[in-house]
Amino acid sequence: MIENLTKIVFTGPVGAGKTAAISAISDVPPVSTDVACSGDEKKIKKTTTVAMDYSYIKLDDGRVVHLYGTPGQERFNFMWEMLTRNGIGLVLLVNNDNPDPVGQMEFYLDAFDSFIKETGVVIGITRMGISDQAGIMDYQLKLMERDQVVPVFEIDGRSSDDVRILIQALIAMLSV
Amino acid sequence: MDVIKEKIDKQTEGENIDLEKYSKVLKRKLERILEQLIDECDEITAALVSGIDGMAWAEQAKGNLDENRFAAMSSALLALGDNLIKEIHKGKVKKVLIESDGGNVFVVHAGSSLLLTIITHEDANIGMPLAHANRVSEEISVLVQQCVS
């Protein structure tokens, strides 16, 4: 598995911090396709990704990992499929400061179900400190209910170290 | 109209025009523009105006078109085109053109917040629909400017 290591995909709902996470760890300025939001989405944030984010990182052993971020909105689900092709794993980011973060986690786990089954997934919960409506345990309980074993981390999406931990966890999972 | 203008003046400080505020009026006008476009140019089978964030605004089509899906795809295409050009520092994107066996698709900017997608039938040439696309995108851009100034 690890020999073919090329591409990791970041996904999750609008405002989870996918673009920020990719930009936090990348070695080069990321390619992003952010545009101004309109309507209800504008209340959450100013800009949104409409095609993809792309960047890459070099691991300590010199290997290059390509990072792709998907748009969050369901209307862009055609990009989800395109971007996961030949991917080796998924990083799912969930914004805890949302009305139903556990439900959102489930939605993306279902949407990326076949990709996850072929590869693997790790979950990063962002904005945990801002909202305490769900704890790590709530996510884990839901995952147990779904019969899925997935590492869940509380992270700051803007922190390079935090995002790196997610990627290391994902690669460790895939190497087993 | 004056009342709307006043409201819009208050709400549109800064670069990103908040189209949502007068969406109904604008939607109706856009639909009329597209209807006229399809009437005038036989080669065009469908036309769609969407926000740069992939939300559908107005659509006219001979036949079925999933406007929401098409709007999202159009914005993704144009955003990728914009970024590709930015990457090589060669100015601004005028249009994204896709030629296929079954017809062509043009995506052009229509002002800073909207974009226009035009679909032609398989025998259509490129010139005429493209000329219409350029004219109508300019028209839409002016319409939006008028609404907010």
Side-chain angles (χ1 to χ4, degrees):
Chain A
M1 195 79 197
I2 212 87
E3 284 79 23
N4 302 321
L5 183 61
T6 49
K7 173 174 163 185
I8 290 174
V9 182
F10 284 66
T11 195
V14 177
K18 302 176 289 293
T19 303
I22 288 181
S23 123
I25 48 163
S26 41
D27 296 332
V28 291
V31 174
S32 69
T33 54
D34 273 24
V35 303
C37 287
S38 67
D40 289 343
E41 284 158 18
K42 201 173 183 176
K43 291 170 197 154
I44 308 172
K45 54 180 195 159
K46 282 195 175 125
T47 64
T48 195
T49 303
V50 293
M52 61 181 197
D53 295 310
Y54 166 77
S55 197
Y56 62 84
I57 53 167
K58 276 200 183 118
L59 296 183
D60 296 336
D61 59 10
R63 279 181 319 204
V64 173
V65 182
H66 301 272
L67 309 170
Y68 286 81
T70 73
Q73 299 89 338
E74 207 185 346
R75 64 176 179 275
F76 289 106
N77 60 9
F78 59 93
M79 289 304 300
W80 298 355
E81 198 188 312
M82 278 163 61
L83 293 174
T84 50
R85 224 168 279 159
N86 298 324
I88 59 138
L90 187 70
V91 175
L92 171 55
L93 297 181
V94 179
N95 177 358
N96 202 51
D97 187 21
N98 253 343
D100 180 21
V102 177
Q104 287 195 322
M105 173 188 75
E106 282 201 278
F107 174 84
Y108 286 87
L109 286 175
D110 289 338
F112 287 85
D113 185 50
S114 59
F115 180 62
I116 291 170
K117 278 186 181 138
E118 282 167 26
T119 59
V121 62
V122 291
I123 297 173
I125 311 297
T126 61
R127 304 195 199 199
M128 204 79 180
I130 297 165
S131 163
D132 56 359
Q133 58 175 321
I136 293 284
M137 227 23 225
D138 296 308
Y139 294 95
Q140 287 292 10
L141 282 172
K142 181 55 79 179
L143 287 163
M144 275 164 65
E145 206 178 282
R146 292 169 60 95
D147 223 3
Q148 281 180 296
V149 182
V150 181
V152 181
F153 297 89
E154 175 186 342
I155 69 150
D156 179 342
R158 299 157 303 178
S159 151
S160 163
D161 288 344
D162 284 12
V163 182
R164 215 163 255 275
I165 287 170
L166 281 180
I167 290 178
Q168 279 163 357
L170 181 64
I171 291 172
M173 260 179 69
L174 298 171
S175 337
V176 176
Chain B
M1 194 65 195
D2 283 338
V3 183
I4 297 171
K5 272 188 186 174
E6 264 179 41
K7 274 187 184 174
I8 290 164
D9 278 343
K10 278 181 203 161
Q11 287 156 349
T12 51
E13 285 159 15
E15 257 189 39
N16 291 324
I17 298 158
D18 195 349
L19 295 171
E20 214 62 24
K21 303 290 180 205
Y22 54 102
S23 62
K24 278 183 187 163
V25 183
L26 186 63
K27 261 180 191 170
R28 233 174 293 140
K29 287 186 174 175
L30 289 173
E31 261 153 28
R32 222 170 299 149
I33 289 177
L34 296 185
E35 201 180 332
Q36 215 175 349
L37 169 69
I38 294 215
D39 277 351
E40 282 171 3
C41 186
D42 284 345
E43 294 169 306
I44 297 174
T45 57
L48 171 88
V49 174
S50 44
I52 50 169
D53 63 343
M55 299 290 266
W57 273 82
E59 171 239 8
Q60 288 291 326
K62 298 170 184 166
N64 282 335
L65 180 77
D66 182 339
E67 56 171 346
N68 295 320
R69 219 171 145 72
F70 222 85
M73 287 185 175
S74 298
S75 71
L77 256 179
L78 197 54
L80 269 185
D82 283 340
N83 278 276
L84 188 139
I85 293 301
K86 215 184 283 167
E87 201 72 17
I88 47 175
H89 308 293
K90 289 264 173 70
K92 285 189 168 175
V93 167
K94 289 179 180 166
K95 60 183 158 296
V96 174
L97 159 61
I98 303 173
E99 287 186 79
S100 84
D101 296 344
N104 304 326
V105 178
F106 307 106
V107 188
V108 293
H109 284 288
S112 59
S113 311
L114 297 178
L115 52 99
L116 170 71
T117 310
I118 278 183
I119 303 166
T120 71
H121 65 68
E122 53 185 299
D123 305 318
N125 67 18
I126 292 177
M128 198 50 109
L130 192 53
H132 279 285
N134 288 336
R135 177 182 57 77
V136 169
S137 68
E138 184 58 30
E139 208 175 305
I140 292 169
S141 160
V142 170
L143 174 70
V144 173
Q145 288 296 326
Q146 278 172 351
C147 284
V148 293
S149 62

